[in-house]
């Protein structure tokens, strides 16, 4: 597309402006969530070195408070990426990863990476009965993703999408009305049919015997606290042993991604392994090496402890889901973020042989804290 400087309208490359003969304004994407305007004296977004404690202007409103507000909402994301959206999704994901790599010391770039799945892949909510149809809903979901990608590329696009989502969730019309009770068998059947439609046949069979989630009351909370009592965070000595950080490569990361079971659930950030595998397939397969390279560099940053420490409670923690057992007891299930699980998988795979020979037949719970 090109922009006419006289009428300020976008036109396809193959078509001239029929009304004016203005100068052409190019707007190539520069890979860092900003556009360069050419042939016009327009103000540009100032970008300074984050190492000097100067935050990039277009992400200045992204902070831990906003991230916590989003995580409290538990916003669902699409389980798969529509094929028509995968190439554009790959490009914006790579630019977001590259921004973190270039501005490692800037917390806002990491927050932007964590919020990326929720902003782009949020599940579309039908507005009427007509949109409830499967074919219509799939088209609207793809359109919603494409619109979010276009908005994300604009300056302050991430902040705009986050605040828009929060405003929609807080709107009175979007709040659930009534307390209509649905039997557990009906819920299981509905989830079973959804799993069948997306090819998760094993999960579809298992869910039929599910007893559901424990009620949200004080008794459930007390039982969760008894199983997972609160404790002070571990003390990390200030003077740690100087050891070489482990690192990985693109081939190993791809194998670790494929090792996740099909249908692996997402954490609070909404990112699924299937999202990354979708981005590496279909029309985007021609440039998968570039995305894998950026993912690998991000994983190596985590392995070297260069992620801002204040993000630890968001990246390395997981909420507990109290599932009911057949005998009425509670089985807590913790689902962490995919980024943390990829790092853990690689770290465990790297030391498993050495640790197996050291531990023998004993089983231990091991706490690992990366140096920051």
């Amino acid at each position: 597309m090109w922009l006419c400087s006289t009428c300020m309208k976008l036109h396809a490359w193959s078509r001239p402006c029929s009304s004016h003969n203005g100068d052409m304004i190019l707007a190539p994407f520069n890979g860092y969530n900003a556009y360069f305007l050419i042939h016009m004296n327009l103000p540009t977004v100032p970008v300074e070195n984050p190492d000097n404690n100067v935050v990039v202007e277009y992400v200045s409103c992204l902070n831990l408070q906003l991230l916590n507000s989003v995580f409290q909402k538990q916003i669902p994301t699409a389980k798969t990426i529509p094929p028509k959206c995968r190439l554009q999704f790959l490009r914006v994901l790579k630019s977001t990863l590259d921004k973190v790599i270039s501005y490692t010391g800037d917390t806002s770039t990491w927050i932007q990476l964590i919020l990326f799945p929720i902003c782009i892949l949020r599940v579309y909510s039908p507005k009427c009965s007509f949109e409830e149809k499967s074919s219509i809903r799939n088209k609207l979901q793809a359109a919603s993703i494409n619109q979010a990608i276009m908005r994300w590329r604009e300056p302050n696009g991430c902040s705009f999408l986050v605040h828009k989502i929060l405003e929609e969730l807080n709107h009175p019309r979007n709040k659930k009305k009534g307390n209509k009770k649905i039997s557990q068998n009906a819920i299981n059947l509905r989830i079973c049919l959804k799993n069948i439609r997306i090819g998760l046949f094993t999960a579809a069979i298992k869910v039929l015997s599910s007893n559901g989630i424990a009620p949200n009351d004080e008794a459930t909370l007390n039982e969760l606290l008894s199983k997972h009592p609160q404790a002070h965070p571990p003390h990390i000595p200030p003077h740690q042993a100087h050891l070489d950080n482990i690192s990985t490569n693109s081939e190993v990361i791809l194998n670790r991604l494929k090792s996740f079971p099909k249908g692996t659930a997402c954490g609070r950030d909404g990112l699924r392994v299937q999202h990354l595998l979708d981005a590496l397939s279909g029309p985007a397969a021609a440039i998968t090496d570039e995305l894998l390279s950026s993912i690998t560099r991000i994983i190596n940053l985590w392995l070297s402890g260069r992620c801002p420490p204040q993000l630890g409670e968001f990246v390395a923690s997981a909420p507990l889901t109290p599932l009911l057992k057949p005998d009425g007891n509670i089985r807590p299930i913790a689902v962490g973020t995919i980024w943390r699980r990829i790092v853990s998988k690689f770290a465990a795979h790297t030391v498993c042989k050495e640790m197996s020979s050291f531990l023998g037949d004993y089983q231990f719970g091991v706490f690992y804290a990366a140096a920051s």
Side-chain angles (χ1 to χ4, degrees):
M1 306 289 289
W2 68 279
L3 182 67
C4 177
S5 62
T6 304
C7 63
M8 298 302 292
K9 291 184 179 180
L10 290 171
H11 306 280
W13 281 113
S14 58
R15 296 183 179 181
C17 180
S18 58
S19 303
H20 305 91
N21 190 23
D23 294 331
M24 181 182 296
I25 304 175
L26 303 178
F29 184 55
N30 71 347
Y32 295 99
N33 205 25
Y35 289 82
F36 290 125
L37 299 182
I38 304 177
H39 299 317
M40 288 189 69
N41 296 323
L42 296 180
T44 57
V45 180
V47 179
E48 300 186 41
N49 187 2
D51 295 334
N52 295 331
N53 297 324
V54 178
V55 181
V56 182
E57 181 177 329
Y58 51 74
V59 290
S60 59
C61 55
L62 298 179
N63 51 47
L64 298 179
Q65 183 179 1
L66 179 64
L67 181 60
N68 183 65
S69 300
V70 174
F71 273 16
Q72 293 296 326
K73 297 295 182 180
Q74 298 181 352
I75 303 170
T77 56
K79 292 187 176 181
T80 60
I81 303 175
K84 294 182 179 180
C85 305
R86 292 177 183 178
L87 181 57
Q88 297 301 324
F89 178 86
L90 182 150
R91 289 174 175 172
V92 294
L93 174 59
K94 184 182 184 307
S95 66
T96 305
L97 293 170
D98 291 344
K99 187 189 302 181
V100 176
I101 296 170
S102 301
Y103 302 99
T104 306
D106 188 358
T107 305
S108 57
T109 60
W110 289 88
I111 295 177
Q112 200 170 14
L113 176 62
I114 298 173
L115 292 174
F116 177 80
I118 293 176
C119 292
I120 303 298
L121 301 175
R122 182 193 175 196
V123 172
Y124 178 81
S125 299
K127 304 297 189 298
C128 60
S129 58
F130 175 75
E131 295 182 357
E132 292 283 354
K133 297 180 180 180
S134 179
S135 59
I136 301 299
R137 190 168 185 172
N138 291 338
K139 292 180 180 179
L140 293 174
Q141 180 67 67
S144 175
I145 293 175
N146 285 329
Q147 291 175 4
I149 289 175
M150 294 299 295
R151 175 64 72 171
W152 180 273
R153 287 173 165 174
E154 299 176 0
N156 289 310
C158 178
S159 301
F160 176 86
L161 290 171
V162 170
H163 287 92
K164 180 181 178 182
I165 291 174
L166 293 177
E167 289 177 2
E168 291 178 356
L169 293 175
N170 294 328
H171 198 280
R173 68 185 178 191
N174 292 324
K175 294 184 178 180
K176 296 182 179 179
K177 298 180 180 180
N179 295 319
K180 184 179 180 180
K181 294 184 178 180
I182 304 176
S183 65
Q184 187 60 45
N185 290 334
I187 296 176
N188 292 347
L189 181 59
R190 183 176 61 187
I191 299 176
C192 175
L193 294 176
K194 287 183 178 180
N195 289 334
I196 291 176
R197 282 195 292 267
I198 60 178
L200 302 178
F201 302 111
T202 303
I205 296 175
K206 290 182 178 180
V207 77
L208 291 176
S209 59
S210 172
N211 294 290
I213 301 176
N216 184 13
D217 53 25
E218 188 174 355
T220 300
L221 178 60
N222 292 333
E223 187 167 352
L224 287 176
L225 290 175
S226 65
K227 294 179 180 292
H228 295 270
Q230 296 181 351
H232 295 289
H235 174 69
I236 301 177
H239 303 288
Q240 302 181 25
H242 294 283
L243 300 175
D244 294 333
N245 298 317
I246 59 177
S247 60
T248 183
N249 55 60
S250 300
E251 183 179 357
V252 174
I253 290 299
L254 181 60
N255 291 333
R256 292 302 94 200
L257 288 175
K258 293 181 178 179
S259 68
F260 281 88
K262 188 176 182 180
T264 298
C266 62
R268 291 181 293 176
D269 63 341
L271 181 66
R272 301 173 181 269
V273 173
Q274 191 60 47
H275 295 156
L276 299 178
L277 294 177
D278 287 344
L280 298 172
S281 62
I287 54 176
T288 54
D289 292 343
E290 299 178 10
L291 177 60
L292 271 176
S293 176
S294 296
I295 293 176
T296 303
R297 295 176 68 182
I298 289 292
I299 298 300
N300 286 330
L301 286 178
W302 261 304
L303 290 170
S304 61
R306 297 184 63 185
C307 177
Q310 56 268 35
L311 292 177
E313 60 180 293
F314 299 98
V315 177
S317 64
L320 292 176
T321 302
L323 301 181
L324 284 174
K325 292 183 178 180
D327 57 1
N329 292 327
I330 292 178
R331 180 189 178 190
I333 297 295
V335 182
T337 62
I338 293 300
W339 290 120
R340 195 272 304 166
R341 291 152 77 181
I342 295 175
V343 174
S344 300
K345 267 181 170 287
F346 171 74
H349 178 75
T350 303
V351 302
C352 63
K353 292 183 179 180
E354 182 179 352
M355 294 303 296
S356 296
S357 61
F358 179 76
L359 297 176
D361 296 332
Y362 294 96
Q363 293 184 358
F364 296 90
V366 180
F367 171 81
Y368 170 76
S372 59

